Amino acid sequence: MGKMEGTCALYKTVGELRESHIIPKFVIKHSKKTGSKFQRRVIAPNVRMQDGIKIPLLSPKAEQEFGKREKWFAENIFHPYLKSRYYLPYNEELYYFAISLLWRTIHLEMKMDEELSEKWFYQLLLDCEMEWRGFLASSVFPRKFSNCYLWFTDRIEFHTTELEGVDYYMTRMNDLTIISNPEKTYLAIYAKFNRFMFFSVLKSPGGEDGLADLAINPIQGTYNIPQQFEYWAISEFLTNRIHGISKHKRASEDQQDKIYEEIAKDPEAFWKSDAGRSIYNDHFNLKK
């Protein structure tokens, strides 16, 4: 691939631009290793949710800065939690990683949504993007948009909705989006992969006081999992989101045949994989 020239979204320098992963590469690698190569297109035909999405965004220097934090997150949070460590101390690297992920999500939306500038919250997004960029590039702590949350999800044991595919969404799926409501009172940036759900609330009528267990301290802290919280906005969003995905058109028959062929090669391995367990849970344990 030829080198791309452009302006680095982080440092505003002109020069070589890298194709930047929005969701870190180690996440995609892990998903494939644990069963998603079979199932990705069936469950998530929506392009915006694809895990491997890349956009020309950052200079090599910016990529390197983000890469350091991704490595830290992989070693200190991602792999330990997936290996069932439920007491997770962290330092300022977690806050940097979370903000960098949500900041990239804003850039992804700006690239993908042609009507974004028409939306009621566009100016808020621009303000937030600028504040976060100041933090990521020059360590200026965000004054207005500093809250950041992380929810560690797990196998779903039961749920009271009619929804299908809840476990798969909560434990396997990658999803990046902006959450807003028709009343124009709520706005959040949201980025989820595997069992890690990050979000930052930019505008809200309230309710965030119940999120203390999810809050990322900018300097250091410890997560004790499972976390205790109640929060209307995320419950509402997840219900709508999962409903939307299950209504989404399934993969073409041709595509489905390929997936079944893959599974048929080694069904035992598939059902033992994390993806297989999740699908089993959704289809056999959680169906009333």
Side-chain angles (χ1 to χ4, degrees), residues 18-41:
R18 294 276 166 86
E19 285 269 337
S20 306
H21 276 276
I22 307 295
I23 285 177
K25 229 184 320 200
F26 70 83
V27 173
I28 294 145
K29 222 165 123 182
H30 172 83
S31 291
K32 288 184 174 155
K33 206 174 87 186
T34 53
S36 273
K37 62 176 181 283
F38 304 114
Q39 278 293 333
R40 198 163 71 241
R41 291 200 194 89

Side-chain angles (χ1 to χ4, degrees), residues 7 18 20 24 43 99 104 120-121 151 154 160 165 175 177 191 199 207 215 219 233-234 257 282-283:
T7 304
R18 294 276 166 86
S20 306
I43 307 282
I99 294 288
R104 280 175 276 186
W120 67 266
F121 51 75
W151 179 18
D154 206 345
T160 52
D175 190 6
T177 195
F199 60 98
I219 297 158
I234 285 291
D257 289 345
D282 274 329
H283 287 278

Side-chain angles (χ1 to χ4, degrees), residues 123-255:
Q123 190 54 51
L124 265 176
L125 275 191
L126 294 181
D127 296 347
C128 176
E129 186 279 332
M130 202 167 96
E131 219 180 70
W132 284 353
R133 180 162 51 83
F135 170 69
L136 297 168
S138 342
S139 308
V140 180
F141 190 73
R143 278 177 45 198
K144 211 172 153 192
F145 306 106
S146 61
N147 71 76
C148 201
Y149 302 98
L150 169 55
W151 179 18
F152 293 82
T153 64
D154 206 345
R155 275 277 164 270
I156 303 295
E157 288 174 18
F158 66 92
H159 60 86
T160 52
T161 70
E162 297 294 303
L163 295 172
E164 286 186 24
V166 175
D167 189 304
Y168 198 89
Y169 181 85
M170 296 298 280
T171 63
R172 299 288 308 168
M173 228 175 206
N174 302 334
D175 190 6
L176 307 155
T177 195
I178 291 166
I179 305 174
S180 66
N181 65 355
E183 297 78 35
K184 306 184 180 178
T185 56
Y186 191 82
L187 182 68
I189 315 291
Y190 171 91
K192 168 195 182 304
F193 51 78
N194 295 86
R195 302 180 187 206
F196 305 86
M197 198 180 279
F198 293 88
F199 60 98
S200 175
V201 182
L202 277 44
K203 182 180 180 177
S204 165
E208 287 71 42
D209 42 358
L211 287 173
D213 258 13
L214 271 58
I216 301 175
N217 184 301
I219 297 158
Q220 62 182 56
T222 304
Y223 276 112
N224 281 307
I225 302 153
Q227 300 146 296
Q228 303 298 319
F229 76 101
E230 257 181 53
Y231 187 50
W232 65 277
I234 285 291
S235 320
E236 220 167 274
F237 164 73
L238 290 173
T239 304
N240 294 335
R241 196 68 168 165
I242 295 166
H243 178 67
I245 295 161
S246 60
K247 269 198 349 202
H248 226 291
K249 62 178 194 301
R250 290 282 179 240
S252 67
E253 282 184 27
D254 175 47
Q255 192 61 52

